[in-house]
Amino acid sequence: MISTKILRPSVSIFGIAKTCSMSSRAPPKALLQDMVVPPRQLFGPGPSNMADSIAETQSKNLLGHLHPEFVQIMGDVRLGLQYIFKTENKYTFAVSGTGHSGMECAMVNLLEPGDKFLVVEIGLWGQRAADLANRMGIEVKKISAPHGKAVPVEDIQKAIAEYKPNLVFVCQGDSSTGVAQPLETIGDACREHGALFLVDTVASLGGTPFDADALKVDCVYSATQKVLNAPPGLAPISFSDRAIEKIRNRKQRVASFYFDALELGNYWGCDGELKRYHHTAPISTVYALRAALSAIAKEGIDESIQRHKDNSQVLYAALKNHGLEPFVEDEKLRLPCLTTVKVPEGIDWKDVAGKMLTNGVEIAGGLGATVGKIWRIGTFGINSNKTKIENVVELLSKSINETRMYCFINLYYF
Amino acid sequence: MISTKILRPSVSIFGIAKTCSMSSRAPPKALLQDMVVPPRQLFGPGPSNMADSIAETQSKNLLGHLHPEFVQIMGDVRLGLQYIFKTENKYTFAVSGTGHSGMECAMVNLLEPGDKFLVVEIGLWGQRAADLANRMGIEVKKISAPHGKAVPVEDIQKAIAEYKPNLVFVCQGDSSTGVAQPLETIGDACREHGALFLVDTVASLGGTPFDADALKVDCVYSATQKVLNAPPGLAPISFSDRAIEKIRNRKQRVASFYFDALELGNYWGCDGELKRYHHTAPISTVYALRAALSAIAKEGIDESIQRHKDNSQVLYAALKNHGLEPFVEDEKLRLPCLTTVKVPEGIDWKDVAGKMLTNGVEIAGGLGATVGKIWRIGTFGINSNKTKIENVVELLSKSINETRMYCFINLYYF
């Protein structure tokens, strides 16, 4: 930054007139220009497009974070989250951070030194959970599936019985592979062997069946910018009574204040006690989450799930039509709202995704170990729509063919 | 939540017709209604009112968190933050959380087991930093001032020389007391004795002079919902080269992934390396922060600071006019953008604040140890305006008199 004294014209704003500037550094020129935000269809792994009914809430005037009307909105959000998680858990609220902060909030509360942690790894998110535990000094055991497959629940049950972990992590829908990990019976095994059951539903919630209470889940978190079509910035989370009991009986205090579940739960009105100031909630993002939950309440959570399932069939058919193949071979293990597609031999995934972006449409490449091998097509919320999906696959196919043509020309003429 | 099978009319949205609902739980009734967000003048300690130019960016369509246009916006934000912090620090970015997440990000990166931490305590925020260190298992020494006063810098220098801490925490503007702590010479003492210098500017940045580089600050964080008039949800932060060197040489990994400064710095483009995916930034809130920085760049950071200073005089005069007294007696130690006011004898602060809120104007009571003793009047950004300030004090005075009248009636007639 250039450090220089600049003179600027006389301005009279806020009722105070000044004849010259006192700022000793020049303001960055880029900030004197308007921001460029081109329209874009977001068919990557998230953020998805905001629904209009959600976008308009974002410009509403702010309320104070303890004003009665805002407390009411927080209460509505809690009810909506209980509805979509399918839980009666009192400690159901949203962490003031993006999806990953949900993982961090869950783990810093549910793990303490000396604990054993079992991670079911079907892609990047299991690795991330294991890495975080490593940072926290927690012993980790991983049970993994090859990319594109799930871990058989029998293997998970066996690992729980043998390793006797304090906490078991499973990502229901891994956005790096497009796999939906079956969850049935894992909760029972956890209860039998004294473990808590933690599920990441960041990419799956609202797009594939999930029932926290029926599955005996002790902690589940998600994100706002996938099926919910809200902007990123909050991580919905829910803790069972068992989980809260473990937190209350910790030997060491939670090493974070920002993510302390009991403090957060108090601020969100989960414990029935007098609300204490904890932090200043991201007011606008909470408005947006309420609007997103309102939209899903109007459609019905099960209807949303069914629509994502039906439209995944539309996507599979369109891919087949254009000679493209899903990466996850077993259809039962495919995440309906995020489909991974094999990159055909000789094609550079990046060229194709770049061409599509030039046309205003985002799809993404792989993540972690799947980079170069797959594209990821997210069909979240309002983007789970037959016409939109068919158009995206049409453009994908056209972009692949253009890339092929370009390779051919390059090969033969240069 | 009531668990019941409900029938709903035939709906045809998203191109899929359904004849009956499958949702096994009824959606919460509250979410079928519109959200209520009454207009409000926010003269508490934050959030402040959003400026229109900021509010309108919040409804803009989302971009992907790695799209070139969004990367450009992040770059603009970095320049703007360097401008308002007055620093050349490469590692200048925003944490995806509210103000407190800035404190947490600073401390988890700059402290590790075995370190000594000196906290300058002039109100709640010093206590909060000490509490967080306690959670992290770090040895803490506090040097405190009575509420309403600052700690003399000579005492801080002496404490640094004697205690030889690894990190020194100072809150520049404590929102629980309204005190502005002088910062001069503390940075020199830190360098002399091998400590890093951490400053909280959540309530002060843009409202009172601050120059990170001239003050030899090693880490500073702030928030978006005070002088910047943006919605809460991001914590601007900056690390000096000395701070980054200490982080690079840590013996133990940072116990958080979400707050890992080197990972965040890479995602924000601070290290000149290829960007790695870290988390999905809160896109809309980053738009808002860019718009807020654009507004402050157009006014000039020093002009903003001067305006807050000038208008604090307007506030002091208005208070005097109505027989009210600032809580911080030494005018030099008053934070210009957040003024604390003594609650007159016999008056219930809550009744008065409640009356004002009914009239659509927020001022706040005390926080922590100052509850019941003071009101807090924030005059942040666009709310630092002569007419608005005079109106708020007028309404405060009127509300006090109405409360007095009510007490009098109660006393004599019941």
Side-chain angles (χ1 to χ4, degrees):
Chain A
M1 204 173 297
I2 306 153
S3 198
T4 173
K5 194 142 191 120
I6 54 153
L7 289 171
R8 295 157 74 229
S10 167
V11 285
S12 173
I13 45 171
F14 308 105
I16 295 170
K18 305 232 153 286
T19 49
C20 72
S21 167
M22 303 164 302
S23 279
S24 52
R25 286 164 189 250
K29 280 194 188 130
L31 287 174
L32 305 178
Q33 284 156 12
D34 284 343
M35 182 167 61
V36 177
V37 181
R40 194 142 288 165
Q41 291 179 55
L42 301 171
F43 283 85
S48 59
N49 288 99
M50 261 199 286
D52 290 345
S53 63
I54 296 168
E56 65 96 12
T57 66
Q58 290 267 95
S59 293
K60 282 189 192 290
N61 65 276
L62 296 179
L63 292 170
H65 51 285
L66 292 167
H67 288 188
E69 299 86 354
F70 189 68
V71 170
Q72 174 69 47
I73 290 168
M74 291 170 82
D76 294 350
V77 165
R78 287 188 59 225
L79 290 175
L81 294 178
Q82 287 178 324
Y83 174 66
I84 62 170
F85 281 137
K86 301 199 175 183
T87 183
E88 309 283 334
N89 289 340
K90 284 197 296 290
Y91 278 76
T92 300
F93 54 88
V95 181
S96 297
T98 57
H100 179 78
S101 75
M103 179 191 284
E104 201 130 336
C105 178
M107 287 176 55
V108 297
N109 283 283
L110 298 178
L111 288 167
E112 61 179 330
D115 277 357
K116 294 194 291 180
F117 185 38
L118 177 67
V119 171
V120 176
E121 186 208 5
I122 57 167
L124 184 76
W125 304 104
Q127 290 166 26
R128 178 67 58 83
D131 176 74
L132 180 55
N134 177 287
R135 289 169 178 264
M136 293 165 63
I138 298 289
E139 183 189 311
V140 187
K141 189 181 170 67
K142 281 201 280 190
I143 171 167
S144 309
H147 294 127
K149 310 232 183 269
V151 179
V153 289
E154 300 73 29
D155 294 2
I156 301 173
Q157 288 168 359
K158 213 174 132 198
I160 294 169
E162 277 172 19
Y163 183 55
K164 301 232 184 308
N166 300 86
L167 183 66
V168 176
F169 172 90
V170 181
C171 179
Q172 185 189 25
D174 195 291
S175 65
S176 72
T177 61
V179 168
Q181 168 69 46
L183 301 174
E184 285 70 22
T185 73
I186 303 175
D188 295 300
C190 285
R191 300 240 166 150
E192 192 181 338
H193 297 282
L196 292 173
F197 183 23
L198 168 60
V199 182
D200 174 322
T201 61
V202 167
S204 60
L205 192 70
T208 196
F210 181 79
D211 187 323
D213 288 356
L215 290 164
K216 300 193 175 72
V217 170
D218 292 301
C219 182
V220 52
Y221 61 88
S222 192
T224 48
Q225 76 277 11
K226 311 264 181 178
V227 169
L228 291 176
N229 295 140
L234 284 168
I237 199 165
S238 182
F239 292 90
S240 71
D241 288 350
R242 285 179 84 221
I244 293 298
E245 196 192 331
K246 154 120 187 184
I247 298 170
R248 286 198 200 283
N249 290 324
R250 284 176 65 98
K251 285 172 220 87
Q252 286 197 12
R253 295 179 76 195
V254 174
S256 167
F257 177 80
Y258 195 65
F259 293 134
D260 186 308
L262 300 182
E263 292 293 337
L264 282 164
N266 172 273
Y267 173 52
W268 276 85
C270 304
D271 60 5
E273 289 173 23
L274 197 69
K275 245 183 222 295
R276 293 183 297 275
Y277 167 68
H278 177 262
H279 72 291
T280 303
I283 310 292
S284 307
T285 319
V286 176
Y287 293 169
L289 176 54
R290 191 210 181 269
L293 292 167
S294 179
I296 216 161
K298 284 171 186 165
E299 183 183 9
I301 178 65
D302 290 338
E303 287 73 5
S304 167
I305 291 165
Q306 184 63 44
R307 176 165 58 83
H308 283 84
K309 194 180 170 191
D310 293 344
N311 284 326
S312 70
Q313 294 298 329
V314 172
L315 178 56
Y316 306 154
L319 289 172
K320 200 175 171 189
N321 236 351
H322 289 279
L324 294 164
E325 276 179 80
F327 174 65
V328 180
E329 280 163 25
D330 185 348
E331 197 181 310
K332 290 193 301 297
L333 297 181
R334 287 184 203 149
L335 188 59
C337 47
L338 181 75
T339 301
T340 46
V341 180
K342 287 184 193 166
V343 177
E345 198 119 333
I347 295 295
D348 185 336
W349 74 270
K350 219 173 177 171
D351 285 351
V352 174
K355 265 183 205 302
M356 291 184 73
L357 199 64
T358 315
N359 284 292
V361 178
E362 177 199 47
I363 68 162
L367 185 62
T370 59
V371 169
K373 297 180 197 164
I374 61 168
W375 288 294
R376 297 182 295 155
I377 304 179
T379 48
F380 295 112
I382 54 171
N383 287 354
S384 172
N385 169 293
K386 188 169 183 288
T387 312
K388 288 183 187 174
I389 289 171
E390 286 172 343
N391 288 343
V392 168
V393 178
E394 178 97 27
L395 183 63
L396 171 60
S397 173
K398 191 166 158 265
S399 305
I400 292 171
N401 289 336
E402 283 174 14
T403 313
R404 268 212 188 96
M405 193 67 76
Y406 182 76
C407 287
F408 178 82
I409 292 169
N410 257 343
L411 209 62
Y412 284 81
Y413 292 86
F414 295 100
Chain B
M1 204 174 295
I2 305 153
S3 200
T4 172
K5 194 142 191 122
I6 53 154
L7 289 173
R8 294 158 72 230
S10 169
V11 287
S12 175
I13 44 170
F14 308 105
I16 295 170
K18 305 228 153 290
T19 47
C20 72
S21 166
M22 301 165 302
S23 279
S24 52
R25 286 164 189 251
K29 279 194 189 133
L31 286 173
L32 305 178
Q33 284 156 11
D34 284 342
M35 181 166 61
V36 177
V37 181
R40 192 141 291 163
Q41 292 179 54
L42 301 171
F43 283 85
S48 60
N49 288 99
M50 263 200 284
D52 289 345
S53 63
I54 296 168
E56 65 96 12
T57 66
Q58 290 269 93
S59 293
K60 281 189 192 289
N61 65 277
L62 296 179
L63 291 171
H65 52 285
L66 292 166
H67 288 188
E69 300 86 353
F70 189 68
V71 169
Q72 175 67 48
I73 289 168
M74 290 170 83
D76 295 350
V77 165
R78 287 189 59 226
L79 290 175
L81 295 178
Q82 286 178 325
Y83 174 67
I84 62 170
F85 280 138
K86 301 200 175 183
T87 183
E88 309 282 335
N89 290 340
K90 284 196 296 291
Y91 279 76
T92 301
F93 55 88
V95 181
S96 296
T98 58
H100 179 80
S101 75
M103 177 191 283
E104 201 130 336
C105 178
M107 286 175 57
V108 296
N109 283 283
L110 299 176
L111 289 168
E112 61 179 330
D115 278 356
K116 293 195 293 181
F117 185 39
L118 177 66
V119 171
V120 176
E121 185 207 6
I122 59 168
L124 184 75
W125 304 104
Q127 290 167 25
R128 177 69 57 85
D131 175 74
L132 180 55
N134 177 286
R135 287 169 179 265
M136 294 165 62
I138 299 287
E139 184 188 309
V140 187
K141 190 181 168 67
K142 281 201 280 188
I143 171 169
S144 310
H147 294 128
K149 310 235 183 266
V151 179
V153 288
E154 301 73 29
D155 293 1
I156 300 173
Q157 288 167 2
K158 214 175 130 197
I160 293 169
E162 279 173 17
Y163 183 56
K164 302 229 184 309
N166 301 84
L167 183 66
V168 176
F169 171 92
V170 182
C171 179
Q172 185 189 26
D174 195 290
S175 65
S176 72
T177 61
V179 168
Q181 169 68 47
L183 301 174
E184 286 72 22
T185 75
I186 302 174
D188 296 299
C190 284
R191 300 243 164 148
E192 193 182 336
H193 298 283
L196 292 173
F197 183 23
L198 168 61
V199 182
D200 174 321
T201 63
V202 168
S204 60
L205 192 69
T208 195
F210 181 79
D211 187 323
D213 288 357
L215 290 164
K216 299 192 175 72
V217 171
D218 292 301
C219 183
V220 52
Y221 61 86
S222 192
T224 49
Q225 76 278 11
K226 311 265 181 175
V227 169
L228 291 176
N229 295 140
L234 284 167
I237 198 164
S238 182
F239 293 90
S240 72
D241 288 349
R242 284 179 84 221
I244 293 296
E245 198 194 328
K246 154 120 188 185
I247 297 169
R248 286 199 199 283
N249 292 322
R250 286 176 64 99
K251 286 173 220 88
Q252 286 198 11
R253 297 179 75 195
V254 174
S256 167
F257 177 81
Y258 195 64
F259 293 135
D260 186 307
L262 300 182
E263 293 292 338
L264 282 165
N266 172 273
Y267 174 53
W268 276 85
C270 304
D271 60 6
E273 290 173 23
L274 196 71
K275 244 183 225 293
R276 291 184 298 275
Y277 167 68
H278 178 262
H279 71 292
T280 304
I283 311 291
S284 307
T285 320
V286 175
Y287 292 168
L289 176 55
R290 190 208 180 273
L293 291 167
S294 179
I296 216 160
K298 284 171 187 164
E299 184 183 10
I301 177 68
D302 290 339
E303 286 74 4
S304 167
I305 291 164
Q306 185 62 45
R307 176 166 56 84
H308 284 85
K309 193 179 171 191
D310 293 345
N311 283 327
S312 70
Q313 293 297 328
V314 172
L315 178 56
Y316 306 154
L319 289 172
K320 200 174 170 186
N321 236 351
H322 288 279
L324 294 163
E325 274 179 82
F327 174 65
V328 180
E329 278 163 25
D330 184 348
E331 196 180 310
K332 290 194 301 297
L333 297 181
R334 287 183 204 150
L335 186 60
C337 48
L338 181 75
T339 300
T340 46
V341 179
K342 288 185 194 166
V343 176
E345 197 117 337
I347 295 295
D348 184 336
W349 73 271
K350 218 172 180 173
D351 285 351
V352 174
K355 265 183 203 301
M356 292 184 73
L357 200 63
T358 314
N359 284 291
V361 178
E362 176 199 47
I363 69 163
L367 184 63
T370 58
V371 169
K373 296 179 193 164
I374 61 169
W375 288 294
R376 299 183 294 156
I377 304 179
T379 49
F380 296 113
I382 54 171
N383 287 354
S384 172
N385 169 293
K386 189 169 183 288
T387 312
K388 288 184 187 174
I389 289 170
E390 287 173 345
N391 288 344
V392 168
V393 178
E394 178 97 26
L395 183 64
L396 171 60
S397 174
K398 192 168 155 263
S399 304
I400 293 170
N401 288 337
E402 283 174 14
T403 313
R404 267 212 187 96
M405 193 68 74
Y406 181 76
C407 288
F408 177 83
I409 292 168
N410 258 342
L411 209 63
Y412 284 80
Y413 292 85
F414 296 99

